[in-house]
Amino acid sequence: MADQLPTAPAPIAALREAGVSVWLDDLSRERLRSGNLQEVIDTKGIVGVTTNPSIFQAALADGDAYTEQLTALAAEGKDVDEVVFALTTDDVREACDLFVPIYEATDGVDGRVSIEVDPRLAHDAEQTAVVAKQLAETVGRPQVHIKIPATETGLPAITATLAEGISVNVTLIFSLERYRAVMNAYVEGLEQALAAGKDISQIHSVASFFVSRVDSEIDGRLDEIGTDEARALRGKAGLANARLAYQAYEEVFATQRWQRLEAEGGRRQRPLWASTGVKDPAYPDTLYVTELVAADTVNTMPEKTLDATIDHGEVTGDTVTGGYEEAQQVLDALEGLGISYTEVTAQLEREGVEKFEKAWAELLDGVSAELAKAAK
C-alpha cells in the first residue's frame, strides 16, 4: 500500500514503512481554500486529518474565511447550533474529498477525516449516538470518522454508532482500563453490525490514546516530590502508558472472539497516538513520534511536530513492543512515590471533556457574535 501513496519525506516514509500512519491534527477553511491542505498531503506525507472543538474554534477566530457562509446562514434564520453544524460538516466534507485517492489506495484504512460530536453530550449516550448518525449522514462521505469521547457513558454510544455501520474515532482515552473498555465497545459494535447483516469490512475505527497530557500532569507531581528518584521519572509516564496500551491492543486482537469477526472481514481498531506535541521544551520535540513507532498505529500531529519530524526525526523501527516490562516498572515506581495512576487518568479525562466543552462554548459565542453582525 505504501508505494501507492504520494512520496513522503524520508522520516515520514520510514514511519509508513514501520506501519505508522501520519495524520495532521488540524483543519480550517483557510487551509482548504488556500490549497494548503492539499499541499501538506502532497509534500509532507499525511494520510488523514483529525479535528476537535478547539481546532474549529481557533479556525473560526482566525480571519474571515467563514464570513460569507455565516451571512447566508444568518439570512436563512439558522440558530447558532445549526450554523456550527453546517460550518464544521462542510469543512470535513471538503477535506474528505481531498483524501479520496489515499482512501482508495489504502482500501479505506487511511484518507480519514474526523469530526467530533458536540462535547456537551459527553455524558449522554443516547443523544451522542443520535448526533453521531446525523454528522455521518450530513458529511456523506465514507472517509469520515465520528469522534466520540471515551467517557463511561460514551461507551454505549460508541457501540451503537458502530452497530449502525458508522466509523468511529474514540477520543480522550487516558487509562488502560478505559482503553480495554473501548476495545470491548468496538468489538460489541461490530458483533451487532454483523448480526444486523452489515458489511463489517466497511467499518473502521481508531482509539485515540493521549500521551503528552499524561506527562504534563505527572511531571508536575514529580516536581513537587522533588527527590532524585522522582526527577528520574520525568517524561517517562506518557510513553510507558502508551506502550502498555499497545500491549493491551495486541492481546485483545489476538482473542478467539476477535478472530471470528476478522474472519467476517472485521478490521482491527488501530491505536492512535494523540496529544503528541511536546509541552516541555526540555524534551526532544519528536519524542512522542520516534518513541511510539509500532505497526498498525496512527500518530496524529500538530503541524509543528510534523515539521520537526520531517526536519530531524530519527525513525529506528519499532520502539514499543520490546518495552512492556520497563513501561510497567515506570508506572509501578510512580505508584511507589504515591502518585495514583487511577486518580491522574480520571482527572485528565475530566479536564479533557471540560477543555472541549469550553472550546465549544467559545465556538458558539464566536458564531453568535458573527450572526449578530450579519443580522445588522
Side-chain angles (χ1 to χ4, degrees):
M1 274 189 288
D3 58 358
Q4 299 173 345
L5 297 173
T7 302
I12 306 303
L15 288 169
R16 197 181 277 176
E17 187 67 26
V20 181
S21 294
V22 175
W23 293 1
L24 178 70
D25 191 27
D26 193 38
L27 180 64
S28 68
R29 188 156 298 181
E30 179 60 33
R31 276 193 189 275
L32 289 162
R33 297 293 157 84
S34 68
N36 171 264
L37 182 57
Q38 185 65 60
E39 182 184 351
V40 174
I41 293 169
D42 293 341
T43 64
K44 298 185 180 182
I46 67 163
V47 292
V49 160
T50 50
T51 65
N52 62 47
S54 301
I55 286 170
F56 274 126
Q57 190 276 326
L60 188 80
D62 183 24
D64 56 3
Y66 296 92
T67 303
E68 184 180 342
Q69 187 178 9
L70 269 165
T71 304
L73 291 167
E76 293 172 20
K78 301 293 187 184
D79 66 28
V80 64
D81 287 301
E82 291 172 320
V83 171
V84 168
F85 191 91
L87 297 178
T88 55
T89 52
D90 281 3
D91 279 1
V92 167
R93 185 184 310 110
E94 195 169 332
C96 282
D97 289 344
L98 296 183
F99 281 103
V100 167
I102 290 170
Y103 176 79
E104 292 175 346
T106 61
D107 190 27
V109 172
D110 286 312
R112 294 280 170 175
V113 185
S114 298
I115 184 170
E116 187 137 359
V117 170
D118 182 341
R120 295 173 298 179
L121 304 175
H123 300 292
D124 185 338
E126 190 173 335
Q127 196 57 26
T128 292
V130 168
V131 173
K133 190 173 182 181
Q134 290 172 346
L135 284 168
E137 289 175 347
T138 303
V139 173
R141 298 292 187 271
Q143 302 101 299
V144 71
H145 267 147
I146 307 303
K147 286 181 85 171
I148 300 176
T151 56
E152 199 166 346
T153 48
L155 296 171
I158 293 161
T159 295
T161 301
L162 290 159
E164 290 279 351
I166 297 167
S167 296
V168 174
N169 176 342
V170 185
T171 188
L172 289 177
I173 308 172
F174 295 96
S175 78
L176 297 166
E177 180 184 15
R178 183 58 52 81
Y179 178 43
R180 286 185 179 274
V182 163
M183 288 188 284
N184 184 64
Y186 175 66
V187 172
E188 284 185 0
L190 286 199
E191 287 170 341
Q192 291 180 23
L194 184 63
K198 295 190 183 298
D199 178 1
I200 62 171
S201 71
Q202 299 304 304
I203 304 171
H204 292 252
S205 184
V206 291
S208 295
F209 202 86
F210 280 54
V211 187
S212 68
R213 292 191 200 180
V214 175
D215 275 337
S216 295
E217 178 59 33
I218 288 181
D219 283 358
R221 297 183 184 213
L222 290 168
D223 289 343
E224 286 180 15
I225 294 169
T227 63
D228 288 345
E229 183 185 4
R231 281 191 288 269
L233 289 168
R234 292 185 90 261
K236 293 186 175 179
L239 292 175
N241 198 33
R243 286 168 177 159
L244 292 173
Y246 193 81
Q247 182 183 36
Y249 158 80
E250 289 187 310
E251 290 171 4
V252 168
F253 290 102
T255 61
Q256 285 188 339
R257 183 187 181 193
W258 170 251
Q259 286 167 1
R260 284 193 291 271
L261 287 168
E262 199 163 45
E264 297 288 346
R267 314 275 192 144
R268 294 185 180 200
Q269 180 188 52
R270 291 185 294 170
L272 178 151
W273 311 129
S275 182
T276 57
V278 171
K279 294 177 172 61
D280 188 330
Y283 301 150
D285 52 6
T286 61
L287 180 69
Y288 304 122
V289 178
T290 59
E291 294 302 315
L292 287 176
V293 177
D296 299 318
T297 59
V298 179
N299 195 308
T300 184
M301 310 176 194
E303 194 165 17
K304 183 178 178 182
T305 303
L306 175 63
D307 288 344
T309 302
I310 291 169
D311 181 64
H312 52 262
E314 294 184 14
V315 180
T316 57
D318 185 334
T319 49
V320 173
T321 59
Y324 300 150
E325 186 176 345
E326 185 181 343
Q328 188 59 57
Q329 288 170 357
V330 168
L331 297 192
D332 291 346
L334 292 167
E335 291 283 349
L337 290 173
I339 296 175
S340 167
Y341 176 83
T342 304
E343 181 201 333
V344 166
T345 54
Q347 177 185 321
L348 288 170
E349 179 187 300
R350 198 165 53 247
E351 290 175 351
V353 172
E354 288 169 359
K355 179 182 177 184
F356 282 171
E357 286 176 341
K358 181 173 181 285
W360 196 262
E362 290 172 356
L363 177 60
L364 295 176
D365 287 346
V367 170
S368 294
E370 293 296 326
L371 286 174
K373 278 195 280 185
K376 290 179 181 176

